[in-house]
Amino acid sequence: MSARSVLRAAPTVLRVGLAEAVAYRAELLVWVLTTTMPFVMLAIFSAAAIDGPIGRYGQTELAAYFLATFVVRQITGSWAGWQINVDVREGTLATRMLRPLHPLVAYALEHAAAIPMRALAAAPVVVILLATSARSGLSRDPVSWLLLLVSLALAWLLTIFINFAIGCLAFFIDSSQRVLEVYLAVFFVASGYLVPLDVFPPAARRALSLMPFRHQVALPVEIFVGRYDGRAAALAVELAQQAGWTLVALGLVALAWTRGVRRYGAFGG
Amino acid sequence: MIEVRSLRKAFRVPVREAGLFAALGSVFRRRYRTVVAVDDVSLSIERGERVGFLGPNGAGKTTTLKMLAGLLHPTSGTLTVDGHEPSRREPDYLRKIMLVLGQKQQLLWDLPPTDTFDLNAAIFDVPRDQYVRTRDELVELLDLGDVVKKPTRQLSLGERMKCELVAALIHRPKVLFLDEPTLGLDVTMQATLRTFVRRYNEQEGATLLLTSHYMEDVAALCPRVIVVDRGRVTYDGSREELARQVRPVKRVTLRLARAATAEEVEGALGEGVRVVTHDAAELGVEVDRANVGECVSRALSRLPVTDISVEDPPLEEIMRELFRETSAARLEADADATARVDADAEGAPDSGEDA
C-alpha cells in the first residue's frame, strides 16, 4: 500500500480505533490503574528523601520525575507484542494479512488511536503537575519542550517496534508471551520507569546507557524535568542515539516479520 | 484466472507425547515430524467459474485456499491468481480477492458492523460514493436493515455471517474464496447465503472457490467440483460425472397411491433394483443408469404410481461413499506403512551385525 493510500485510510482507521478505545474504556481504566507504579515509587522515594535528597532528587524533583514518568508511559505504552502473539497463535492475523494495509501499520495506527483516551486518563496527573510544587521541577526551556515532542514520538516508535519484534517471535516459538514478560521486567528497571537511572551506581549506569530502554522512558522524562534545559547540543546527541535505536529496532522488526510470515501456519480456521 | 502447478505445502510440527516425563524430555530434545498438507496439486480455474473444493477433514482444502489467498507460502510449486503471485500479497492483489473463513471473523466485536464496513472501505481505498452504493446494496440484498448498527456481539450467528459477507465484499472482489461459509447456520440462512453468493457471481462475473461440508452448498453453487484427499487431487470435473463415477446409478423416487413393502416394489421392478429409502407409500430406489427407462416403465405399469422422479443420488451420499473408499485406502496404506516400520525396526539389529 502506498504512503498516499495509508494517509487516505488513516483518518478512518484512527476514528474506528478511537471508537474501540472508547468501547473498552473500562478496560482502559483498569490498564491505567496498573500503570500507577510511578506513584508507589514516588511515595517510597519521598519517604526515603525526607532526611535529604537522594542524589539530585529532593521532594520536588522526585514528584516531577515520577509524575512525568506516568505521563510518558501513558503516551508511549504499547501492547502490540501481546496482540501479535495472540493473533499469530489463534490465526486471527489472517484477517489483517488479507487487507491491503500492512498489519504492522494497522497495529501502529490502532495504538495511535488510543492515545487520546490515554491522554485523557493522564490529564488529571498533568493538572496536579502544574498545580503543585512539582511544577517547579519541570523544564522551563521552550527548545526542550519542542524537542520533548520529538523524543516522545521516537520513544513511542521504539517501544512499539520492540513490541513488534518480540511479538513476531510467536512465529518461531510456541508463544512469545514469556519473552514479553521478561522484557517488561527488564524494561521497568532499565528504562527509568521505577527508579531514576542516575541513582544507579556508575557501572550500572554505563551498562544501562548501552541498552535501548532508557530511550523509551528516561530520556523524554529527563527532558520533561528540565535536565537538558540550555543544553540543546547534548540533547541533540541523545535524540540521535534514540533515533539510532529506533532504526535498529525497525530493522529487527523487518527481519522478524519477513522471516516469520514465511513460517506462518495461519492455524485455527 | 487461477493456475496452480505442482503445489506442495509441508509443515514441520513438533511431536510431543502426553505426560510429565515427555514434557520434560521435550525441553532437552525436541522431535519434529513433517506433515504434508498439500502434495502436488495442479488445477486451473477460469474467470467466473464456480468450483467446489471438497475433501474429508485434513485433506488440504483450507491450506490450499490459504495459499491462494496469500496467507501461506507454498513449500514448492507455483500458483498465480489473475497474474499475481499470492504470497507476495501485493495490495492490488488483495483488492481483487476475498477469503471468508467460516470460523474466523473480521467484524470488530464491540462496535457495530457498519464501523468494520467503513474501516474496510478506507483500507481497500474504495471511493466514498462507490462504497455507500455497494454497502447499501449488499445490506438490502441480505435483508440486514438496522442490524448493521447494533454492536456485533449482540448479533446472532446468522446475522454476523451475513455482515461478514458484506464486510468481505465491500471492495467488490473478483475472486471469492469461501471456506465453510454456512458453518453453523440454520437451513433458511444457508439458502439465503447461497442465493446471495450465486447472484454476486452472476452480476460481477466473480470466480468462486468454495469448500463446505454441506453438500447442499456445493450442489446449489458449483457445477464443477475438485476433490482432494491427503493433499492430492483425486477428482476434477463436473458434479454429474463425479456421480457417474462414484455411484453409477440413478435414484428413482416413487410416490404410490398406497403403502407398499420394499420386497413388493423390488419384485415389481425386477432385478438390479434396490430400495434405499422407504417411508410407507414413498420409496427411493437405485437402478443402473442403463436400466432407468425400463425401471420407470415397469413402475408405471405394475405399481399404483402417483408421482415419479429420476435424479442422481444426493451429492451427500456420493461424497460419503467417495470418502469411505478413500479412508479405507488410507487405512490400508497406513497399515502397510506401519508394517514397513515394524519390519525396519526388526531388521535393524541384523543390519547392525552385518555392518
Side-chain angles (χ1 to χ4, degrees):
Chain A
M1 201 178 191
S2 68
R4 256 176 66 190
S5 301
V6 173
L7 286 176
R8 267 204 302 273
T12 309
V13 179
L14 290 171
R15 179 184 65 74
V16 173
L18 181 62
E20 267 201 300
V22 172
Y24 296 125
R25 55 195 175 277
E27 200 176 299
L28 187 80
L29 191 66
V30 172
W31 187 86
V32 169
L33 290 175
T34 65
T35 59
T36 50
M37 245 351 241
F39 301 141
V40 178
M41 298 314 292
L42 173 60
I44 294 170
F45 271 90
S46 295
I50 283 175
D51 296 331
I54 304 170
R56 68 174 72 191
Y57 293 95
Q59 301 281 353
T60 304
E61 289 76 20
L62 283 170
Y65 183 90
F66 282 112
L67 292 178
T69 302
F70 176 80
V71 173
V72 167
R73 179 127 161 86
Q74 290 308 313
I75 293 170
T76 62
S78 171
W79 59 99
W82 278 266
Q83 218 174 349
I84 294 174
N85 180 51
V86 170
D87 282 349
V88 171
R89 280 169 61 78
E90 297 183 0
T92 39
L93 187 66
T95 304
R96 292 176 179 274
M97 289 175 68
L98 288 168
R99 291 173 170 159
L101 175 66
H102 197 290
L104 297 181
V105 175
Y107 287 124
L109 288 174
E110 287 164 22
H111 275 58
I115 288 177
M117 283 296 286
R118 285 167 167 238
L120 207 63
V125 178
V126 175
V127 171
I128 294 169
L129 258 172
L130 297 175
T132 62
S133 60
R135 184 179 174 183
S136 61
L138 299 182
S139 167
R140 293 190 184 87
D141 182 351
V143 176
S144 287
W145 282 106
L146 201 65
L147 292 178
L148 173 63
L149 296 179
V150 177
S151 184
L152 277 175
L154 287 170
W156 185 81
L157 285 172
L158 178 57
T159 305
I160 204 168
F161 288 164
I162 290 175
N163 264 264
F164 284 166
I166 299 176
C168 284
L169 292 179
F171 287 122
F172 306 93
I173 53 179
D174 284 347
S175 164
S176 57
Q177 191 177 328
R178 297 285 169 254
V179 185
L180 283 161
E181 283 164 9
V182 171
Y183 153 73
L184 208 56
V186 177
F187 163 83
F188 280 157
V189 177
S191 69
Y193 179 64
L194 295 182
V195 182
L197 296 183
D198 41 15
V199 303
F200 280 99
R205 278 211 302 274
R206 268 195 301 279
L208 292 175
S209 70
L210 299 174
M211 297 178 189
F213 306 105
R214 73 173 300 268
H215 299 288
Q216 293 179 260
V217 176
L219 178 61
V221 168
E222 286 166 7
I223 302 170
F224 216 138
V225 298
R227 195 71 52 81
Y228 292 94
D229 285 5
R231 297 172 57 214
L235 181 51
V237 172
E238 289 288 348
L239 289 177
Q241 280 182 21
Q242 197 183 20
W245 275 112
T246 308
L247 286 175
V248 169
L250 180 61
L252 287 175
V253 173
L255 191 71
W257 176 264
T258 46
R259 297 223 168 168
V261 162
R262 291 193 69 83
R263 290 172 58 105
Y264 183 47
F267 296 115
Chain B
M1 176 58 112
I2 298 176
E3 290 293 335
V4 177
R5 290 285 163 265
S6 308
L7 187 66
R8 187 169 185 273
K9 179 69 189 177
F11 294 100
R12 192 164 166 256
V13 293
V15 180
R16 192 183 297 161
E17 284 165 21
L20 179 64
F21 288 112
L24 287 174
S26 74
V27 172
F28 301 103
R29 187 161 170 262
R30 206 150 190 209
R31 288 187 302 135
Y32 291 89
R33 70 188 170 100
T34 301
V35 175
V36 180
V38 174
D39 193 8
D40 197 23
V41 164
S42 296
L43 53 93
S44 177
I45 296 173
E46 295 299 319
R47 196 176 298 274
E49 256 195 296
R50 297 192 305 269
V51 180
F53 203 44
L54 307 177
N57 286 333
K61 307 180 297 289
T62 303
T63 303
T64 306
L65 279 194
K66 284 176 176 172
M67 281 193 279
L68 286 169
L71 292 178
L72 296 178
H73 286 244
T75 304
S76 62
T78 58
L79 70 167
T80 56
V81 181
D82 201 20
H84 296 270
E85 192 184 321
S87 62
R88 296 172 66 93
R89 292 192 301 109
E90 297 152 324
D92 280 348
Y93 176 62
L94 297 175
R95 285 193 191 97
K96 286 181 186 172
I97 64 156
M98 68 94 124
L99 167 67
V100 169
L101 298 164
Q103 298 158 356
K104 285 276 166 279
Q105 66 157 34
Q106 63 166 313
L107 297 173
L108 299 163
W109 189 245
D110 286 294
L111 299 181
T114 187
D115 277 331
T116 307
F117 305 159
D118 288 354
L119 188 68
N120 279 8
I123 290 174
F124 282 93
D125 214 1
V126 183
R128 178 76 194 167
D129 52 343
Q130 185 193 320
Y131 160 56
V132 172
R133 204 171 48 244
T134 305
R135 180 195 62 194
D136 294 349
E137 201 179 304
L138 294 173
V139 165
E140 193 185 325
L141 273 173
L142 284 165
D143 197 19
L144 279 164
D146 282 345
V147 163
V148 297
K149 293 176 187 160
K150 287 197 243 169
T152 301
R153 64 170 188 275
Q154 291 177 8
L155 306 184
S156 69
L157 178 63
E159 288 170 337
R160 276 211 310 268
M161 203 58 220
K162 288 203 277 189
C163 291
E164 284 289 340
L165 269 184
V166 177
L169 293 172
I170 279 294
H171 60 292
R172 296 223 172 249
K174 292 292 176 200
V175 186
L176 317 185
F177 300 118
L178 298 177
D179 187 28
E180 307 281 354
T182 55
L183 191 73
L185 300 185
D186 66 36
V187 188
T188 320
M189 200 62 76
Q190 286 176 25
T192 307
L193 285 192
R194 279 178 214 130
T195 310
F196 172 78
V197 169
R198 185 169 187 146
R199 194 183 297 177
Y200 183 86
N201 155 265
E202 286 166 358
Q203 276 177 358
E204 304 284 327
T207 308
L208 168 69
L209 189 54
L210 164 86
T211 80
S212 181
H213 283 112
Y214 296 123
M215 288 306 129
E216 282 183 37
D217 290 349
V218 181
L221 287 169
C222 306
R224 176 181 163 195
V225 292
I226 296 173
V227 181
V228 286
D229 186 39
R230 309 181 86 181
R232 287 173 174 268
V233 173
T234 55
Y235 174 83
D236 183 354
S238 70
R239 259 188 2 245
E240 290 73 22
E241 182 54 33
L242 177 67
R244 264 195 293 277
Q245 280 186 18
V246 179
R247 291 281 287 269
V249 292
K250 280 278 187 185
R251 170 72 58 87
V252 180
T253 305
L254 300 168
R255 275 195 201 84
L256 306 179
R258 59 172 171 77
T261 64
E263 292 74 23
E264 183 188 350
V265 171
E266 284 176 353
L269 299 182
E271 277 185 23
V273 174
R274 191 165 64 94
V275 174
V276 288
T277 62
H278 185 197
D279 181 15
E282 185 172 319
L283 298 99
V285 302
E286 279 186 357
V287 58
D288 283 349
R289 285 170 187 268
N291 299 333
V292 172
E294 198 180 332
C295 171
V296 169
S297 98
R298 278 184 189 163
L300 292 172
S301 62
R302 296 178 184 178
L303 295 167
V305 175
T306 58
D307 191 16
I308 189 165
S309 65
V310 181
E311 298 163 318
D312 278 322
L315 191 54
E316 202 87 40
E317 282 181 20
I318 293 166
M319 295 315 296
R320 206 160 42 226
E321 189 151 323
L322 183 67
F323 294 163
R324 197 165 43 228
E325 279 172 17
T326 52
S327 67
R330 182 182 301 196
L331 282 174
E332 209 168 287
D334 288 348
D336 281 352
T338 310
R340 274 201 303 277
V341 170
D342 289 347
D344 289 348
E346 282 169 16
D350 290 338
S351 311
E353 281 170 23
D354 285 347

